[in-house]
Amino acid sequence: MAGERSGKRLVVVTGGTRGVGAGIARAFAEAGDEVVVCARRPPRAPLDGVGFAPLDLRDPPAVHAFFGRLPRLDVLVNNAGGAPYRLLAGTDAERHARVIDLNLVAPLTASLAAYDLLRRARGSVVMIGSVSGTRPSPGTAAYGAAKAGLENLARSMAVEWAPEVRVNTLVVGMVRTELSHLHYGGEDGIEAVSGTVPLGRLAAPADIGRAAVFLASDAAAYITGAGLLVHGGGERPAFLDAATVNRTDRVEEADKERRGQVT
């Protein structure tokens, strides 16, 4: 585990060994912070300037022991989470509950274990939420429910822990990681999905990392209890493409016809 370094903040990123978590860890390291990532397994390749501590976030005694060993803590990023594609009726409630445990209960456990350290440092918690918690999430319903709960938890936590600790949520959209093919298919699928995003691409892990650094920085000193959307503009409503009027292509065609009549 990384030791104390004078003049640097200590940042813990849960589940920070790959994908979005690794992007967040790198962003804080590049900002000059001391960063420790914790997960059940170490990263396949060490992250430059980032320490690693083995930890199962679903084991409350181990979580409390981990934070109890830290000399201080300035920022906690609750990133660990995820879920397999699983239709609700395809399995039992106990399996869905495990998803909720990882994505909602584990961040609560880590935040409570870190509270005293964060309060002394007047620190910050950044929850990594998801757009899945703001809309229907077929195939990952338990995950969506957990992420909806996580954002509400963060808002309540922000009120209870103010003014010593700020708590905010990054509401993250689709991100291109090494596991994107499991969600969207090969390059053709990823390109097609990217075309549904107003900004024309999936987020990179670094995009999420920079947003997390901002929320934990002095530039966000008056921001707490907030949810920052990092989704490239969101999702175009499906009914707009299904409607028989006011479609962009038809409006453009009508405009051309009108211009032709004028000339």
Side-chain angles (χ1 to χ4, degrees), residues 31-131:
D33 294 312
E34 179 181 5
V35 183
V36 176
V37 299
C38 53
R40 287 183 297 167
R41 291 179 291 273
R44 291 184 178 179
L47 303 174
D48 290 342
V50 176
F52 171 76
L55 180 63
D56 185 346
L57 289 152
R58 293 167 294 187
D59 181 350
V63 173
H64 282 271
F66 166 75
F67 285 101
R69 292 191 296 269
L70 295 180
R72 71 186 192 285
L73 181 63
D74 300 282
V75 181
L76 169 63
V77 182
N78 282 308
N79 165 77
Y85 184 87
R86 182 179 291 154
L87 294 172
L88 280 171
T91 189
D92 53 38
E94 287 75 15
R95 286 185 178 271
H96 294 304
R98 292 175 195 169
V99 173
I100 295 172
D101 188 34
L102 175 62
N103 291 278
L104 178 57
V105 179
L108 174 59
T109 301
S111 299
L112 291 173
Y115 171 66
D116 285 336
L117 290 169
L118 290 167
R119 180 174 54 83
R120 288 198 291 269
R122 298 187 73 86
S124 174
V125 178
V126 180
M127 303 290 197
I128 304 303
S130 171
V131 295

Side-chain angles (χ1 to χ4, degrees), residues 181-196:
H181 64 283
L182 299 179
H183 302 283
Y184 314 123
E187 287 300 318
D188 289 346
I190 292 172
E191 183 178 353
V193 171
S194 297
T196 69

Side-chain angles (χ1 to χ4, degrees), residues 201-246:
R201 66 176 178 86
L202 304 186
D207 293 315
I208 313 305
R210 286 189 288 267
V213 170
F214 163 70
L215 281 183
S217 73
D218 289 342
Y222 198 66
I223 300 175
T224 193
L228 177 60
L229 294 167
V230 188
H231 59 10
E235 301 172 358
R236 178 178 171 82
F239 79 86
L240 292 176
D241 293 324
T244 58
V245 295
N246 297 327

